[in-house]
Amino acid sequence: MAATAAQLCDVGYLNMTIEGVAARAGVGKSTIYRWWPSKAALVVETLKSRSMLSPIELTGDSRADLRAVIASTFQIVTHSPAGMILPALAVDLIRDPAAHEQLHALLRPRRESVLTVIRTIAARGDLPADVDAGLLLDIYSGTLLYRVLLSGEPVTESIIDQLTDLLLSGTAPHILLML
Amino acid sequence: MAATAAQLCDVGYLNMTIEGVAARAGVGKSTIYRWWPSKAALVVETLKSRSMLSPIELTGDSRADLRAVIASTFQIVTHSPAGMILPALAVDLIRDPAAHEQLHALLRPRRESVLTVIRTIAARGDLPADVDAGLLLDIYSGTLLYRVLLSGEPVTESIIDQLTDLLLSGTAPHILLML
């Protein structure tokens, strides 16, 4: 597991090989295949074994709470190796529903704790009572991931505020003047 | 190029190999490597040679126009092979800035035409005059991609309306009752 994590950090998911992990761990390839059927399975279990995120602490201020949740995803997408491992893994698993389900299971605890934050904000009356918390999570997570992967535009922390304002107050994203 | 496109449709980006394309085209691997240095380069050029999208026609109704743009991305992400090829390619290219720039160049014409639609809607007064059109595009595109790749929740057309309402009217996403 430690060898897998180290290889992921060094070469990324797509370039990682079972051979590389085996060499790093000082074991034969067959030892690894005895326990994990595929690279994807090995990586899912490695990610599972490492708690990637600190728990979310509520402040009581809805804007601050939602902003903190979005800022934490911003950190993962822009700074943590997991930020790029997860989409690579998801694309790799798209033709393998069982493994894809494992990936969702891996992400579920984090997802559930964020959904609880969103529902708490709704219970305070700062989001609609019938808020679709899952979609709200997908909106800010997807935006951050897309900006890094595909949009080609600069990734700056101002996006965190723009997303918070859109989701909490319905403020459309607008051009920020840099002073 | 035709062989590459056919292989992409059959096996996906990650499982596609230069060998497979060469076999399909009835040429040697070295012939392919003479023209394209890598799988990523070959795929970028294949995508470039195929116009993936029909032009956007404006109706004059801002809600209908924004909804049509979002619905078109929904179709790509859920039904077209390019929907999953692009993120796989983007992840593969993240360590290769020159190739990543090529990918952005490939996406730019489509991106520009959508930005024009968003700015037209703003000019009509239906979005703020200082709308950040690029971020708006990233929000709905990212949400759709994330929902398919990572969220594990059902992908239904109702998301198109939820995103349209959020971006145009500031309506937070809410649970839809299925009747």
Side-chain angles (χ1 to χ4, degrees), chain A residues 111 130 138 147 153 173 175, chain B residues 111 130 138 147 153 175:
Chain A
R111 192 170 173 94
D130 63 348
D138 292 347
R147 170 84 29 155
E153 296 199 28
I175 302 289
Chain B
R111 192 170 173 93
D130 63 347
D138 293 347
R147 170 86 24 156
E153 296 198 29
I175 302 288

Side-chain angles (χ1 to χ4, degrees), chain B residues 91-131:
Chain B
V91 171
D92 201 6
L93 296 180
I94 208 120
R95 281 151 201 271
D96 180 348
H100 212 225
E101 175 45 39
Q102 265 197 293
L103 177 65
H104 292 147
L106 168 70
L107 296 172
R108 202 158 292 139
R110 160 76 180 175
R111 192 170 173 93
E112 284 304 327
S113 68
V114 172
L115 296 181
T116 302
V117 173
I118 297 171
R119 291 192 191 112
T120 303
I121 295 174
R124 289 180 198 146
D126 294 326
L127 277 170
D130 63 347
V131 64

Side-chain angles (χ1 to χ4, degrees), chain A residues 5 8-9 12-13 43 47 80-91 103, chain B residues 91:
Chain A
L8 281 172
C9 289
Y13 175 76
V43 170
L47 293 175
S80 127
M84 285 306 108
I85 292 166
L86 289 176
L89 193 58
V91 171
L103 178 65
Chain B
V91 171

Side-chain angles (χ1 to χ4, degrees), chain A residues 8-15 84 86-88 90-95 100 103-104 107 111 115 127-128 130-143 145-153 159 162-163 166-167 169-176, chain B residues 8-15 84 86-88 90-95 100 103-104 107 111 115 127-128 130-143 145-153 159 162-163 166-167 169-176:
Chain A
L8 281 172
C9 289
D10 285 358
V11 302
Y13 175 76
L14 288 160
N15 292 318
M84 285 306 108
L86 289 176
V91 171
D92 201 5
L93 296 180
I94 207 118
R95 281 152 200 270
H100 212 226
L103 178 65
H104 292 146
L107 297 172
R111 192 170 173 94
L115 296 182
L127 276 170
D130 63 348
V131 65
D132 184 338
L135 181 53
L136 196 150
L137 189 162
D138 292 347
I139 290 170
Y140 73 74
S141 306
T143 304
L145 193 63
Y146 193 87
R147 170 84 29 155
V148 171
L149 271 186
L150 286 163
S151 92
E153 296 199 28
I159 296 175
Q162 298 245 39
L163 286 169
L166 173 68
L167 294 169
S169 321
T171 311
H174 55 279
I175 302 289
L176 299 172
Chain B
L8 281 172
C9 290
D10 284 358
V11 303
Y13 175 75
L14 287 159
N15 294 317
M84 285 306 108
L86 290 175
V91 171
D92 201 6
L93 296 180
I94 208 120
R95 281 151 201 271
H100 212 225
L103 177 65
H104 292 147
L107 296 172
R111 192 170 173 93
L115 296 181
L127 277 170
D130 63 347
V131 64
D132 184 337
L135 181 53
L136 197 150
L137 188 162
D138 293 347
I139 290 170
Y140 73 74
S141 306
T143 303
L145 194 63
Y146 193 86
R147 170 86 24 156
V148 171
L149 270 187
L150 286 164
S151 91
E153 296 198 29
I159 297 174
Q162 298 245 38
L163 287 168
L166 173 68
L167 294 168
S169 323
T171 312
H174 54 279
I175 302 288
L176 300 172

Side-chain angles (χ1 to χ4, degrees), chain B:
Chain B
M1 294 292 204
T4 306
Q7 280 295 93
L8 281 172
C9 290
D10 284 358
V11 303
Y13 175 75
L14 287 159
N15 294 317
M16 185 193 113
T17 59
I18 297 278
E19 285 86 343
V21 173
R24 191 153 199 156
V27 300
K29 240 169 76 171
S30 59
T31 306
I32 297 198
Y33 278 118
R34 200 172 307 143
W35 296 96
W36 295 282
S38 67
K39 176 168 100 167
L42 175 60
V43 171
V44 166
E45 201 156 318
T46 301
L47 293 175
K48 206 186 292 180
S49 73
R50 303 172 85 80
S51 99
M52 296 182 296
L53 289 157
S54 41
I56 299 162
E57 308 218 5
L58 292 173
T59 66
D61 176 85
S62 293
R63 190 175 192 287
D65 289 341
L66 184 60
R67 193 189 185 284
V69 162
I70 299 175
S72 140
T73 299
F74 181 89
Q75 285 302 319
I76 299 170
V77 171
T78 56
H79 286 95
S80 127
M84 285 306 108
I85 293 165
L86 290 175
L89 194 59
V91 171
D92 201 6
L93 296 180
I94 208 120
R95 281 151 201 271
D96 180 348
H100 212 225
E101 175 45 39
Q102 265 197 293
L103 177 65
H104 292 147
L106 168 70
L107 296 172
R108 202 158 292 139
R110 160 76 180 175
R111 192 170 173 93
E112 284 304 327
S113 68
V114 172
L115 296 181
T116 302
V117 173
I118 297 171
R119 291 192 191 112
T120 303
I121 295 174
R124 289 180 198 146
D126 294 326
L127 277 170
D130 63 347
V131 64
D132 184 337
L135 181 53
L136 197 150
L137 188 162
D138 293 347
I139 290 170
Y140 73 74
S141 306
T143 303
L144 294 170
L145 194 63
Y146 193 86
R147 170 86 24 156
V148 171
L149 270 187
L150 286 164
S151 91
E153 296 198 29
V155 182
T156 62
E157 294 206 6
S158 65
I159 297 174
I160 301 170
D161 291 297
Q162 298 245 38
L163 287 168
T164 307
D165 291 340
L166 173 68
L167 294 168
L168 206 56
S169 323
T171 312
H174 54 279
I175 302 288
L176 300 172
L177 294 175
M178 300 295 168
L179 296 179

